[in-house]
Amino acid sequence: MCRIFVNTDPILYEARSRSVRIHGMVTSIRLENLFWTVLSDIAAEQGTTTNRLIVTLHDEVVEAHGAVQNLASFLRVSCARYLSMTAGEPLPDEVRTKAGSTGEAMTGGASVIALWRDRSPSDRA
């Protein structure tokens, strides 16, 4: 196998725990440094903090599914999906949307906020 993965800087896969306050409750989340960096990038793109982004993601998954089974795993998957979207790969069907009234399908690289704004109000609920 190629050395792309083997030569990864070990600091990227070193896990770190951080405390996050979610509606008054402090919870500890343990993620690899790479995922903390991606969450920070997403938060910066949206003009918010990493902690606020995590609270928002938590609230959205609770609204959609009633509970969060494993917040750390959900955050890792969210980061992987974000990286996939920004790598120019086609978006998954559930987030594919139309760009404005032109009917042109959006592709990877669009901001997460732009994807959300372009969805119809019924799709956001």
Side-chain angles (χ1 to χ4, degrees):
M1 181 171 265
C2 67
R3 297 233 166 248
I4 293 172
F5 304 112
V6 174
N7 289 331
T8 299
D9 184 350
I11 198 75
L12 293 176
Y13 53 85
E14 180 180 296
R16 304 256 174 169
S17 294
R18 294 189 185 177
S19 294
V20 177
R21 184 175 302 273
I22 301 175
H23 304 297
M25 299 292 294
V26 177
T27 186
S28 180
I29 301 172
R30 187 167 181 82
L31 297 173
E32 293 72 19
N33 287 325
L34 176 65
F35 292 114
W36 287 117
T37 299
V38 173
L39 287 171
S40 176
D41 290 347
I42 296 169
E45 177 183 294
Q46 296 190 39
T48 191
T49 65
T50 302
N51 285 0
R52 184 69 213 145
L53 173 69
I54 291 170
V55 171
T56 299
L57 291 171
H58 172 272
D59 291 350
E60 289 178 357
V61 78
V62 166
E63 183 179 327
H65 301 289
V68 181
Q69 298 300 319
N70 184 327
L71 183 57
S73 292
F74 171 73
L75 293 172
R76 284 185 193 95
V77 170
S78 296
C79 288
R81 295 184 73 187
Y82 173 80
L83 290 172
S84 174
M85 289 166 54
T86 58
E89 296 178 13
L91 296 175
D93 288 340
E94 67 269 21
V95 295
R96 191 175 313 278
T97 182
K98 300 291 181 187
S101 60
T102 64
E104 178 182 335
M106 291 185 73
T107 58
S111 77
V112 176
I113 288 287
L115 292 172
W116 181 83
R117 272 194 213 126
D118 290 340
R119 295 173 75 181
S120 70
S122 63
D123 289 340
R124 289 185 218 150

